Amino acid sequence: MGRRQKDGAIVLLFVIGIIGAILLKIFEGLLMILDALYQSWYIWLPVVLVTVVLAIIFKRLKKEMDEKNDFTIELAKKRKSLEKSYVKYLEKSIALIEYSLQEQLLKLDQINQEINSQLISGLSYNETENSQNEINDSPENIIRIKNILQDIDSKSFKIWDDLKDKNKFEGRSPEIRYKKSILKIDLIDKPSEPDYSQSFKELTLPKKYMIDPINQFQDQIKSNVSEGNERIEKLYNDRLELLKSKKKSSLDLLSQLQTKYDKSKEDFYNKRRVYNEKIENIRIDYFDNNIKAIEFYCEKILDKIEYYEKFEKSNNVGYNDINKILLVEYLLPDIEDFPVVKEVRFLKTKNEYKNIHLTQKELKELYDETLYKICLSLIYYLFKSDEIDAIESIVFNGVSNSIDRSIGKRRWACIMTVHCNKKEFLEIELDKVYPKDCFKKLKGISAPNLTDLVPIKPIQILNKDDKRFVIGEYIEVDSRTNLASMDWKDFEHLIREIFEKEFTVNGGEVRVTQSSRDGGVDAIAHDPDPIKGGKIVIQAKRYTNTVGVNSVRELYGILQDEGAMKGIIVTTSDYGKDAYDFAKDKPLTLLNGANLLSLLHSHNYNAKIDIAQAKLEIEEGRINSEDES
C-alpha cells in the first residue's frame, strides 16, 4: 500500500516539472516579442489606437441600432394595442348606436300602438265602469232592509238639479299625454371619442432615430382613427335621420288622434248641453202638468231609491190626467238577491270569525215583510215628491221575475197590487205599522205568502201604447139638454165622463178613443175588481131609431178582438128583440135611454131624452140624421 503512494508522488513531480518548463519557454517568447515591439513601437502603436477607436465607434453604433430596433418593436406593440382598442371602440360605438336607435324606435312603436288603438277602437274617455265590485254580505245589510220604513223621512227626492249632467270631460288630451314623450325621443346614444393625444405622443420616434421625415407610426394610426370616426359620424347621422322620420310619423298620428279627441270633447259637451236642455224642458213641462213629463219625473224618483245594491231596478209608469191616477209597475227584488248573513260570531276554539246565516224560514219572512215595505215606501215617496199635486191616487203593481221552483224557470207575474188615495195614505204613520196589515187595510191584493209567487190580477192595467186614446172633454148638461139631439162627439165624451165617475169609485179608469164613426170603440174602461173586472169596451149610440142586432153583433166582435172581459152599448133610444136575444148569455150589457137617464141622475146629472123633438129637428134640418153615432 505504501509503495503505490510513493509512485504517485513521483509522477506528480514529473508532470509539474514539464509544465514549468513549458511556461518558462512561453515567458521567454513573450519577452522576445515585447522586445521586438519595443524596438518598432512607432509602427504598431497608431494601428492599435485606430483599431481601438473603430471598435468603440462600432460598439456605439451597434448599441444605437439595437435601441432603435427595441423602440420600434415597442412602438409596434403600442400601435397594435391602440388599433385593437380603437377597433373595440368602433364596434362598441356601432352596437351602442344601433341598440339606442332600436330602443328609441321601440318607445315610439309603443306610443304609436296606443295611438292607433285609440284611433281604431275609439276613444274611451269619460266612460262609466259597468263592472260592479263584489258586495260583501254583512248583518248591516239586513238591518238596513228592515229599517226601510223607519228611515222613510230621511230621504228627499226633489231631483231636477240632480238629473242634469254635471260631468266634465275627463279624458286627457293626447298631446299632453304623448307629445312630450315623443319629443323626448330625440338623441341616440354615442360613446365619447377617446382622447388619443397622449397615445399619439407615445407613438412618436425620437428625432435621433428618424430616417424618414414622415413618422409612419403616428400618421398611419391617425389616418385609421380619422376614417373610423367618419364612419361612426355617418352612421350616427343616418340613424338620427331615421329616428326623426319616425318621430314625424308619430307626431302626424298624434295629430289625428288629437283631432278625434277634440271632436269627442266637443260632442261630449254638445250632448251634455242637449241633455240638460231636454231635462230643463221636461221640468218646465212637468210644472205645466204635461203627462209625459209627470211620468218621466216619477220614473226618475223610483230610479233614485236604493234599498240594497243587489236589488235589480226596473219600473214602468203611466199617468191618467183625467182622474189623476198614477199607475206603477215595479220589479220586486228576487229572494236570491237578499242578504243572508244575520250575525258574525267569534269562535274562541278556532280563533276565527264565522258568518251565521238566516234560516230558510227567516229568509222567507224577511222577503215577505220587505216586499210590503217596498210597496208602501214607494207609494209614500211618490206622493211626497208630487210637487204640483198632480197625483190623487196611485195603483201599485208589484211584479216578480223570480224562478218558479215548481218548473225551474223564471216567470214574470204580478204578485201584489194596491190602490191608494193620497190624502188617506199620507195620514198613515208608516214607521209604526205592520207592513202586511197596512197593505191589507188599503185593500191590497196578494197571495198569503209572497214567496209562493202566486200570480194575481192587477187592480188596473194602463196600456200606454194604445194610440187611440185622446184627452176627454168636460160636457156640461142640464135639464134642458136633449141627449137625443146633442152633437154626437159631445155625446161620446158625456158617456166617457159618466162611466168614469161610475168606475173610479173603485179605482177604475175610463179613456175615450179617437172618434171614427165606424162602429169601433168609443171608450175603454178598466175595472179593478180582481174577480169580475178587467177591460171593458163601451160604445155610445146617439140614436132616435131602434138599435138593431147588427150593432150589438159588431160590439161582440170588437169585444173579442180587444180581448175585453165585457162590452157595454149605450143608446138614447132602445133595442129590438133580436138585439136582446143576441146579447143573452153573452158578456154584453145593453143600456137604453131610460137606463142612461137613471145612470146620469145617480151622478147628479140633469138631462132629458126627447126622441120626438129630435126627429122634428131632423125633419127641419137642424140636425143631420146621418150624424147619429
Side-chain angles (χ1 to χ4, degrees):
M1 189 71 179
R3 185 179 177 85
R4 287 182 181 180
Q5 289 177 346
K6 187 176 179 180
D7 289 340
I10 292 171
V11 172
L12 179 62
L13 288 173
F14 177 77
V15 171
I16 292 171
I18 292 173
I19 292 171
I22 292 170
L23 290 174
L24 181 62
K25 286 292 182 182
I26 291 172
F27 181 72
E28 287 177 355
L30 287 173
L31 287 175
M32 288 176 67
I33 292 170
L34 288 173
D35 182 60
L37 288 173
Y38 177 75
Q39 294 296 325
S40 57
W41 64 270
Y42 57 90
I43 296 173
W44 59 262
L45 182 61
V47 174
V48 170
L49 290 174
V50 169
T51 301
V52 170
V53 169
L54 289 174
I56 292 170
I57 291 172
F58 177 77
K59 185 177 180 181
R60 186 173 182 85
L61 288 174
K62 184 176 183 304
K63 182 180 178 183
E64 286 182 358
M65 287 299 294
D66 290 341
E67 285 178 354
K68 181 180 179 182
N69 288 335
D70 292 342
F71 202 86
T72 303
I73 291 169
E74 185 64 28
L75 288 182
K77 288 180 179 178
K78 287 184 177 181
R79 175 187 162 191
K80 197 168 186 180
S81 175
L82 185 59
E83 286 179 337
K84 188 175 181 181
S85 170
Y86 188 69
V87 168
K88 285 185 178 179
Y89 160 75
L90 289 179
E91 291 174 349
K92 180 181 177 183
S93 298
I94 293 170
L96 183 60
I97 290 171
E98 296 290 359
Y99 175 78
S100 177
L101 174 68
Q102 293 305 318
E103 192 177 43
Q104 301 291 53
L105 291 178
L106 181 61
K107 290 179 183 177
L108 280 177
D109 284 343
Q110 290 173 343
I111 293 173
N112 290 347
Q113 284 177 10
E114 288 185 36
I115 294 174
N116 270 319
S117 174
Q118 295 182 49
L119 279 171
I120 295 170
S121 61
L123 298 168
S124 57
Y125 298 112
N126 225 55
E127 291 186 352
T128 306
E129 286 283 340
N130 292 325
S131 58
Q132 296 181 347
N133 294 328
E134 184 178 351
I135 301 168
N136 294 324
D137 197 354
S138 67
E140 287 75 17
N141 293 324
I142 293 179
I143 295 171
R144 177 181 168 189
I145 291 174
K146 285 185 174 181
N147 288 336
I148 286 175
L149 294 183
Q150 278 64 39
D151 299 336
I152 201 163
D153 287 322
S154 64
K155 294 181 177 65
S156 174
F157 293 101
K158 294 185 178 180
I159 60 168
W160 291 113
D161 193 51
D162 293 340
L163 285 178
K164 290 189 177 179
D165 186 355
K166 299 175 186 175
N167 291 322
K168 293 182 179 179
F169 191 77
E170 296 178 357
R172 195 176 173 194
S173 169
E175 284 193 351
I176 295 175
R177 185 177 180 186
Y178 297 114
K179 192 168 186 177
K180 189 175 180 180
S181 299
I182 293 174
L183 294 177
K184 272 180 68 176
I185 303 174
D186 191 34
L187 297 174
I188 298 174
D189 295 333
K190 181 174 72 170
S192 301
E193 185 179 340
D195 183 6
Y196 292 116
S197 57
Q198 184 62 34
S199 298
F200 288 156
K201 287 180 182 179
E202 292 175 358
L203 287 176
T204 304
L205 280 167
K207 290 183 179 180
K208 63 180 181 178
Y209 298 141
M210 292 181 64
I211 298 172
D212 192 323
I214 298 175
N215 193 322
Q216 57 180 347
F217 292 102
Q218 187 185 93
D219 290 345
Q220 187 173 356
I221 190 66
K222 277 186 176 181
S223 175
N224 292 342
V225 168
S226 178
E227 288 178 6
N229 287 345
E230 288 177 4
R231 178 185 171 192
I232 293 297
E233 193 65 27
K234 185 177 184 306
L235 178 66
Y236 179 78
N237 290 331
D238 288 346
R239 296 301 182 258
L240 202 57
E241 285 300 316
L242 176 61
L243 181 63
K244 287 179 180 178
S245 174
K246 293 287 186 180
K247 278 176 60 178
K248 185 178 182 305
S249 299
S250 295
L251 290 171
D252 291 342
L253 203 62
L254 177 61
S255 178
Q256 295 178 39
L257 183 63
Q258 183 65 35
T259 301
K260 187 173 183 179
Y261 168 87
D262 293 337
K263 180 69 167 58
S264 177
K265 185 175 182 180
E266 182 183 0
D267 290 345
F268 174 85
Y269 282 110
N270 283 338
K271 287 178 182 177
R272 192 183 78 166
R273 176 182 53 77
V274 170
Y275 175 79
N276 288 340
E277 287 176 356
K278 177 184 175 183
I279 294 297
E280 181 60 24
N281 290 333
I282 293 174
R283 188 189 72 82
I284 293 170
D285 288 344
Y286 171 78
F287 284 100
D288 284 341
N289 287 279
N290 178 275
I291 294 175
K292 294 294 183 184
I294 292 171
E295 291 176 346
F296 175 85
Y297 175 75
C298 292
E299 285 176 354
K300 294 303 177 183
I301 291 292
L302 296 175
D303 287 341
K304 192 175 176 67
I305 298 168
E306 286 281 355
Y307 293 114
Y308 178 52
E309 288 80 357
K310 286 189 176 181
F311 289 172
E312 183 183 350
K313 285 186 177 182
S314 177
N315 67 78
N316 188 25
V317 172
Y319 176 69
N320 185 314
D321 62 324
I322 304 300
N323 50 24
K324 294 188 174 183
I325 291 180
L326 183 73
L327 175 64
V328 178
E329 185 178 86
Y330 189 87
L331 179 63
L332 298 168
D334 194 323
I335 194 170
E336 302 293 335
D337 294 331
F338 269 67
V340 294
V341 176
K342 67 175 180 179
E343 183 183 355
V344 178
R345 291 180 187 170
F346 180 72
L347 304 178
K348 290 184 179 180
T349 55
K350 295 186 178 181
N351 193 31
E352 64 180 24
Y353 289 93
K354 181 180 179 181
N355 292 334
I356 308 302
H357 292 178
L358 295 171
T359 64
Q360 280 299 309
K361 181 181 178 182
E362 289 172 332
L363 180 59
K364 288 182 178 182
E365 290 175 353
L366 178 64
Y367 177 79
D368 272 35
E369 182 180 322
T370 301
L371 264 53
Y372 289 118
K373 287 180 179 179
I374 287 175
C375 170
L376 297 175
S377 64
L378 289 175
I379 294 171
Y380 176 83
Y381 290 135
L382 288 169
F383 278 143
K384 292 292 285 187
S385 303
D386 181 19
E387 297 184 55
I388 57 174
D389 292 325
I391 305 170
E392 290 186 359
S393 63
I394 292 176
V395 174
F396 179 90
N397 293 331
V399 297
S400 167
N401 190 31
S402 301
I403 295 176
D404 186 338
R405 296 300 175 185
S406 64
I407 58 175
K409 295 181 180 179
R410 289 194 175 275
R411 184 170 65 173
W412 187 277
C414 177
I415 61 172
M416 62 190 310
T417 182
V418 64
H419 176 222
C420 303
N421 178 272
K422 182 177 186 178
K423 183 178 178 181
E424 295 175 358
F425 187 88
L426 291 180
E427 290 177 354
I428 300 172
E429 296 183 44
L430 292 176
D431 58 335
K432 299 177 183 177
V433 302
Y434 291 106
K436 185 174 182 179
D437 293 344
C438 180
F439 179 84
K440 296 300 182 182
K441 181 73 175 177
L442 293 168
K443 297 182 180 178
I445 304 168
S446 67
N449 296 312
L450 294 176
T451 50
D452 294 336
L453 305 177
V454 176
I456 57 139
K457 188 174 183 179
I459 288 176
Q460 183 178 345
I461 297 175
L462 194 151
N463 182 6
K464 295 200 295 182
D465 296 326
D466 196 334
K467 305 301 182 184
R468 299 171 300 173
F469 293 142
V470 296
I471 297 174
E473 298 177 9
Y474 175 73
I475 304 301
E476 187 174 352
V477 296
D478 55 30
S479 58
R480 296 169 296 173
T481 303
N482 183 4
L483 302 181
S485 60
M486 71 186 304
D487 181 83
W488 64 272
K489 289 183 182 178
D490 291 345
F491 182 72
E492 287 180 0
H493 283 289
L494 176 65
I495 296 303
R496 189 271 313 159
E497 188 176 318
I498 194 63
F499 273 99
E500 183 178 30
K501 290 185 178 294
E502 183 72 18
F503 282 105
T504 53
V505 173
N506 297 317
E509 175 193 21
V510 178
R511 302 187 76 179
V512 65
T513 61
Q514 293 177 355
S515 301
S516 61
R517 299 180 60 196
D518 59 356
V521 180
D522 294 324
I524 290 180
H526 289 275
D527 187 344
D529 189 297
I531 299 175
K532 61 181 180 179
K535 186 177 181 180
I536 301 171
V537 293
I538 303 170
Q539 273 192 342
K541 299 290 185 183
R542 193 225 62 189
Y543 275 17
T544 56
N545 297 315
T546 300
V547 178
V549 69
N550 288 338
S551 295
V552 181
R553 188 178 284 114
E554 284 175 1
L555 177 63
Y556 186 62
I558 292 170
L559 181 147
Q560 293 176 318
D561 291 340
E562 291 281 342
M565 302 295 294
K566 187 177 182 180
I568 300 175
I569 186 168
V570 185
T571 183
T572 50
S573 59
D574 207 339
Y575 306 91
K577 181 178 181 300
D578 51 354
Y580 282 112
D581 289 341
F582 180 82
K584 187 177 181 182
D585 299 326
K586 292 182 178 65
L588 298 174
T589 299
L590 310 184
L591 299 180
N592 59 21
N595 301 136
L596 175 57
L597 288 175
S598 176
L599 187 61
L600 288 167
H601 291 156
S602 67
H603 292 285
N604 299 317
Y605 282 80
N606 290 317
K608 64 180 181 179
I609 296 176
D610 190 336
I611 299 295
Q613 179 65 32
K615 285 183 176 181
L616 179 61
E617 290 177 7
I618 290 172
E619 289 176 4
E620 294 175 353
R622 283 184 283 170
I623 60 173
N624 192 335
S625 62
E626 293 181 357
D627 284 346
E628 291 191 343
S629 64

